[in-house]
Amino acid sequence: MIASTARIHPDAKIGPHVSIGDFCVIESDVAIGAGCVLEPYVYVKRWTTLGERNQISAGTVLGTDPLDKNFTGERSFLRIGNGNQIRGHYTISRGTEPESVTEVGDENYIMTSGHIAHNCKIGNRTVICSCALVAGYVEVEDQAFISGGVVVHQYSKIGRLAMIGGNTRVNSDVPPFFLYSGFNVAAVGLNVVGLKRAGYKHSDISALKKAYQILYRSGLKLAEALARIEAGIATPEARHLVDFIRRSERGICRE
């Protein structure tokens, strides 16, 4: 179903059962997978790919030129997976460097009036609330929750099932599974609600609570805290936590 007022470049690839609303604009070198729904006034720019079953609300622009003075206009990409909901008046940029990519995974729920910048990598089943701003080269792991008004500094990483409270400034890496708040992001506890919703058992949550206490409440130096977690908590989640922290280049939020 394609509205008569929509403008679709003849080189664009539109899959079956796609709905494109009034006054949408689809440029060349765009691919839109089966079952996608584009509400009125959606603009999909060149070198953007959408998988299947994505729902894009009115006024959204996908594949914008990067908000980066180093951008030279060369070809770069935005690739969006399957089953995402991207609500109204949202913008997502392509990569800055030639042939580079901004990636959005599957089944993410992205609310209104925000921006995901160039070269970001968004995982699966995340929630990004209204008016959150995600700067360039940010990585967000699966099932993270970013509340409204959050500002994520470039190159930061947000771990799996982390929850960021509203209006927080994320200016360092945020380890998985925990709650964060404050003007400058700070850990305030375990994301118990998120973990339960994700199906974690009481024993899994207890192990992560122990890891949180070692990391943030023991007074140990970081290397000592990580060694103690490795030695005493033999769960996949604890290993992921330690690996995430050791891969951090910016450093994690920790006093």
Side-chain angles (χ1 to χ4, degrees):
M1 297 176 60
I2 299 175
S4 61
T5 55
R7 294 294 178 263
I8 301 175
H9 194 281
D11 293 339
K13 297 179 180 179
I14 310 298
H17 309 295
V18 169
S19 176
I20 299 177
D22 282 305
F23 304 105
C24 289
V25 177
I26 313 297
E27 293 187 345
S28 63
D29 301 301
V30 166
I32 298 177
C36 287
V37 176
L38 277 61
E39 293 182 2
Y41 298 99
V42 170
Y43 185 6
V44 185
K45 300 193 72 175
R46 196 175 187 185
W47 299 311
T48 297
T49 301
L50 280 72
E52 299 180 354
R53 298 174 287 100
N54 294 292
Q55 299 181 36
I56 314 298
S57 292
T60 293
V61 185
L62 302 177
T64 65
D65 289 352
L67 305 177
D68 187 337
K69 290 183 177 180
N70 294 317
F71 180 62
T72 60
E74 301 293 332
R75 185 175 70 172
S76 61
F77 303 96
L78 168 62
R79 294 175 183 153
I80 296 175
N82 304 314
N84 296 284
Q85 295 185 55
I86 303 174
R87 294 299 177 89
H89 302 283
Y90 210 88
T91 56
I92 306 179
S93 292
R94 298 183 285 116
T96 290
E97 296 82 8
E99 304 301 309
S100 68
V101 182
T102 301
E103 297 180 70
V104 178
D106 300 332
E107 299 179 18
N108 296 287
Y109 185 32
I110 300 172
M111 300 185 194
T112 61
S113 304
H115 179 63
I116 295 173
H118 55 89
N119 301 98
C120 285
K121 185 175 182 180
I122 310 297
N124 305 313
R125 301 185 303 283
T126 69
V127 176
I128 302 177
C129 294
S130 298
C131 303
L133 302 175
V134 183
Y137 304 98
V138 166
E139 295 184 17
V140 181
E141 292 188 340
D142 295 352
Q143 299 172 281
F145 192 107
I146 300 174
S147 297
V150 169
V151 179
V152 186
H153 193 277
Q154 61 183 353
Y155 294 101
S156 297
K157 294 180 176 60
I158 296 176
R160 180 182 172 202
L161 277 163
M163 180 174 182
I164 316 296
N167 295 320
T168 296
R169 182 177 73 163
V170 178
N171 54 354
S172 56
D173 289 350
V174 173
F177 308 117
F178 302 146
L179 291 172
Y180 300 89
S181 188
F183 176 71
N184 289 322
V185 63
V188 295
L190 191 67
N191 185 13
V192 175
V193 173
L195 289 163
K196 287 181 177 179
R197 288 175 176 171
Y200 283 82
K201 298 180 293 184
H202 178 74
S203 58
D204 300 323
I205 294 172
S206 296
L208 283 170
K209 186 175 291 185
K210 182 179 178 182
Y212 174 84
Q213 291 169 345
I214 293 170
L215 184 61
Y216 285 106
R217 298 292 180 260
S218 66
L220 294 171
K221 294 181 179 180
L222 181 59
E224 296 170 345
L226 295 179
R228 182 172 293 186
I229 292 170
E230 281 185 310
I233 308 174
T235 66
E237 293 75 28
R239 288 194 294 272
H240 179 66
L241 173 65
V242 171
D243 290 343
F244 179 96
I245 295 170
R246 288 195 168 138
R247 291 196 310 270
S248 174
E249 297 177 1
R250 290 175 55 82
I252 66 166
C253 54
R254 187 174 189 258
E255 295 181 0

